[in-house]
Amino acid sequence: MFLLHRHIGKKITVRAPGRINIIGEHTDYNGGLALPAATHLALMMEMESVRDPSWSIQALDPGEHFQLLLHTKNESSYHWVGFFRAMHSYAEEHQLPIGGLKIRFNSTIPIGAGMSSSSALTSALVAGMNHLFGWNKAPLSLIRIASRVEHGYGVQGGLLDQMSIFLSKENQALYLDFSNDSFHYLPMKTPGYSWVVWDSLERRQLVNSPYNQRRKAVENVLQDLHAPHWQAVSATEINNVKGISKEVRMMCHFILEENNRVRLAAKCLKEENIVGLGELLKASHAGLRDQYRVSSPGLDRLAGHLNSQKSCMGARMMGGGFGGMVLSLIKTQSLPELLYGIRQLPEFKRGSGRLHYPVHIGNGLTIEEQN
Ligand code: GLA
């Protein structure tokens, strides 16, 4: 759509955080519950609306540059280009005003590891375009657009990542109910304890992983049950469903149990019950490994090791799974010993890369005008 002249020459900086998800995994796309929080790790995107109708995009860290020509399909091997192209196609298809852009971005969120690095990119882009091109859309619409754009690129995720990015607040956990996309905040008070994310160094490829199959399998059961979402289903109903495999039945039970763990975790947070919270993380990992089957050998070894240490209250794989990160709640003062111990594990002995990210609970997406 034609861009109004008054939108040209504006410059903004968008900051979109990566998230942790305390608990509530694989529950977002089936109307369940989750308890994420934004971290201090973030993607920064500088965006300027320009007259030239192409998008000139620079990824600062690897020093990659790409000129996205809006009406020809010039391809690139940089993985991030696909998100920009998908965003551009979405805006055109939905007749949203767009124009030329000069974009520069960099990020401290570990890439493709379960901390929503891609959603931070698409969310920053959508929010920035909304601001620069005067779309006037409410956060929930932008959240849905960001998610649709990512779907176009492969993974049929829910709204967990985008809601965390847009709605989080400093030092608060976000209690999300995907049955009606409502949310509220819970103070994150864990004095003496820290949230630390550990890298299994196994890189996940959710696009080619069975993520979409898991989603489809449980959606089919929900349809058979004629239920609006899994919060409206009981364990007995799951047991009574006919014609599903043992594996799929276990997956359905996992969803109910994980939703319940989110409710209990919220209670533990309110009561500052660290031991209880840690036990829920351990149970969540076991469910993701044995019932929903989205873990990986590396994630299991890492979570297993952490969960055998006294100074770790609980650890679990985080995000879509099939590689990526493990989230843990640990005694702050024991971090050096824990890190030393993990470095002694065979798979981490030789590596010199970064293995751990102590996270601070930060703010959701912000936009700053430059002129
Ligand atoms: C990925 C998806 C999210 C969510 C998680 C699992 O991160 O993008 O929508 O489904 O996996 O909880």
Side-chain angles (χ1 to χ4, degrees):
M1 248 176 91
F2 187 64
L3 185 66
L4 295 176
H5 186 73
R6 67 185 157 87
H7 292 302
I8 292 171
K10 277 196 194 170
K11 198 168 172 183
I12 54 172
T13 304
V14 189
R15 182 183 180 284
R19 54 123 188 84
I20 54 169
N21 187 20
I22 298 169
I23 204 154
E25 219 62 89
H26 285 271
T27 51
D28 60 344
Y29 50 79
N30 46 44
L33 303 169
L35 196 57
T39 69
H40 68 290
L41 301 168
L43 175 133
M44 302 293 290
M45 189 180 282
E46 195 183 87
M47 299 171 75
E48 186 179 353
S49 54
V50 292
R51 195 172 300 276
D52 172 355
S54 68
W55 287 4
S56 156
I57 316 164
Q58 226 182 325
L60 293 175
D61 260 348
E64 296 165 347
H65 180 262
F66 187 69
Q67 191 80 15
L68 188 79
L69 301 172
L70 299 190
H71 296 289
T72 52
K73 282 243 174 293
N74 57 330
E75 294 303 336
S76 157
S77 55
Y78 303 146
H79 77 282
W80 47 265
V81 167
F83 293 109
F84 289 91
R85 181 156 327 271
M87 182 63 235
H88 181 262
S89 308
Y90 180 94
E92 275 211 326
E93 266 166 41
H94 293 79
Q95 306 200 330
L96 294 165
I98 44 172
L101 282 175
K102 217 163 131 188
I103 300 174
R104 282 146 50 94
F105 70 96
N106 73 327
S107 175
T108 54
I109 311 169
I111 292 176
M115 292 185 79
S116 72
S117 52
S118 334
S119 304
L121 192 148
T122 42
S123 299
L125 186 58
V126 172
M129 289 172 78
N130 178 61
H131 191 93
L132 287 176
F133 301 146
W135 295 352
N136 285 324
K137 291 200 179 285
L140 217 49
S141 308
L142 297 176
I143 284 167
R144 295 209 172 97
I145 296 177
S147 160
R148 288 289 296 282
V149 167
E150 275 195 58
H151 282 193
Y153 202 47
V155 184
Q156 308 295 306
L159 296 183
L160 170 72
D161 304 344
Q162 297 80 8
M163 286 183 87
S164 316
I165 291 167
F166 274 89
L167 304 171
S168 285
K169 281 192 183 163
E170 188 136 24
N171 294 326
Q172 311 275 323
L174 185 64
Y175 186 98
L176 293 171
D177 184 342
F178 298 102
S179 67
N180 53 11
D181 292 341
S182 64
F183 59 93
H184 63 266
Y185 298 97
L186 293 169
M188 289 274 270
K189 275 192 264 149
T190 55
Y193 295 86
S194 301
W195 294 101
V196 178
V197 179
W198 304 85
D199 197 337
S200 71
L201 302 183
E202 278 182 343
R203 272 300 165 265
R204 59 185 203 144
Q205 270 291 326
L206 275 193
V207 178
N208 301 318
S209 79
Y211 180 101
N212 293 348
Q213 295 163 19
R214 295 284 186 285
R215 179 173 181 156
K216 191 86 198 94
V218 292
E219 267 170 7
N220 287 344
V221 180
L222 198 62
Q223 246 176 20
D224 287 351
L225 285 167
H226 301 292
H229 49 75
W230 284 99
Q231 291 188 66
V233 176
S234 70
T236 318
E237 283 172 290
I238 295 176
N239 290 336
N240 291 341
V241 182
K242 302 259 178 309
I244 56 170
S245 65
K246 192 173 113 223
E247 284 78 20
V248 172
R249 204 180 303 279
M250 274 193 319
M251 287 169 62
C252 299
H253 279 296
F254 167 82
I255 300 173
L256 256 58
E257 289 165 25
E258 185 75 351
N259 281 337
N260 203 36
R261 281 189 282 268
V262 175
R263 294 185 194 101
L264 295 172
K267 193 162 174 277
C268 287
L269 260 191
K270 275 186 209 149
E271 294 167 358
E272 294 183 35
N273 176 357
I274 305 292
V275 173
L277 195 53
E279 290 305 315
L280 291 167
L281 296 190
K282 291 179 191 166
S284 172
H285 184 82
L288 288 158
R289 181 190 59 209
D290 304 333
Q291 294 172 293
Y292 215 71
R293 294 176 302 115
V294 288
S295 191
S296 67
L299 288 171
D300 288 342
R301 270 195 301 277
L302 199 48
H305 173 81
L306 286 162
N307 281 329
S308 71
Q309 306 298 303
K310 261 211 168 104
S311 52
C312 173
M313 310 313 288
R316 66 174 201 86
M317 58 147 277
M318 185 177 74
F322 309 102
M325 298 278 192
V326 165
L327 171 73
S328 66
L329 181 58
I330 64 152
K331 278 200 179 115
T332 306
Q333 60 182 26
S334 307
L335 179 57
E337 289 98 281
L338 272 177
L339 181 58
Y340 182 82
I342 287 196
R343 281 258 179 240
Q344 305 314 305
L345 299 178
E347 56 264 65
F348 301 117
K349 235 178 180 157
R350 265 172 301 142
S352 52
R354 184 155 183 195
L355 285 187
H356 80 297
Y357 298 81
V359 294
H360 304 290
I361 305 306
N363 238 323
L365 185 143
T366 52
I367 298 182
E368 218 175 280
E369 296 206 2
Q370 301 295 317
N371 46 7

